[in-house]
Amino acid sequence: VACRGVAVEGMWTSGLSYGKGPFRFYRDFEDWMKPFPPEDRDAYPEVFNLPEHTYEVSLNKPLGIVFEELDSGRGVVVIDLVEGGNAAMQGMVKVGDRLTAMTAVKIIGAKWERRLIPALDFDFDTVVGAIGSNDPKWGGEDCVLQ
């Protein structure tokens, strides 16, 4: 399932660059920031670190997380973990956590990209569709959540 209907300006590479380059596949935050030189990291530390109280977790599907939509189109929150599920076994995700971002795959023709996309303004169905787009056939054995 491709993540359709997720189009935020600047989120996806466009034109002839789509599906190419170091930013076409999101693995984790540190890997995403590798192309930038140390002087950028020193000059802009707020860009090169996750915000306070934000963590990143990589989980294989099924995630084992029960989400509930906040107000319509205002994101989702974790209301339960499936006992023995991937999230519960990993131990990082907690009931009450708000999903701020997740990886999603977008396909255009024969090219595709996996990006970390914001989740705070999406409805439940868009979040679940984005999570579902992380499929092994697109190189992702996992889904990355923040």
Side-chain angles (χ1 to χ4, degrees):
V1 175
C3 184
R4 299 187 200 318
V6 179
V8 176
E9 185 67 30
M11 183 185 309
W12 304 98
T13 306
S14 61
L16 297 175
S17 296
Y18 186 81
K20 299 177 183 176
F23 299 112
R24 77 177 228 359
F25 190 88
Y26 187 95
R27 285 179 177 67
D28 61 49
F29 189 75
E30 280 303 312
D31 186 63
W32 193 256
M33 295 300 178
K34 279 182 186 174
F36 299 97
E39 51 271 13
D40 285 352
R41 291 173 180 264
D42 294 339
Y44 306 101
E46 68 280 0
V47 173
F48 293 94
N49 295 292
L50 289 174
E52 189 176 354
H53 306 296
T54 299
Y55 63 91
E56 185 171 82
V57 61
S58 170
L59 293 169
N60 288 333
K61 295 189 315 185
L63 304 180
I65 301 174
V66 180
F67 291 110
E68 179 177 72
E69 186 172 19
L70 297 168
D71 294 330
S72 182
R74 301 301 302 161
V76 298
V77 64
V78 176
I79 61 167
D80 201 7
L81 300 176
V82 175
E83 187 175 333
N86 289 330
M89 290 177 33
Q90 190 177 52
M92 288 182 68
V93 178
K94 305 290 184 218
V95 171
D97 286 352
R98 185 168 183 196
L99 184 66
T100 58
M102 69 269 163
T103 50
V105 174
K106 182 177 179 181
I107 305 150
I108 297 179
K111 296 180 181 180
W112 56 273
E113 292 186 348
R114 179 169 108 154
R115 291 287 181 93
L116 187 74
I117 62 171
L120 294 176
D121 293 328
F122 290 156
D123 62 23
F124 179 84
D125 291 337
T126 303
V127 168
V128 171
I131 290 170
S133 72
N134 291 272
D135 191 283
K137 69 182 171 187
W138 307 117
E141 297 292 325
D142 65 341
C143 180
V144 179
L145 307 173
Q146 289 184 353

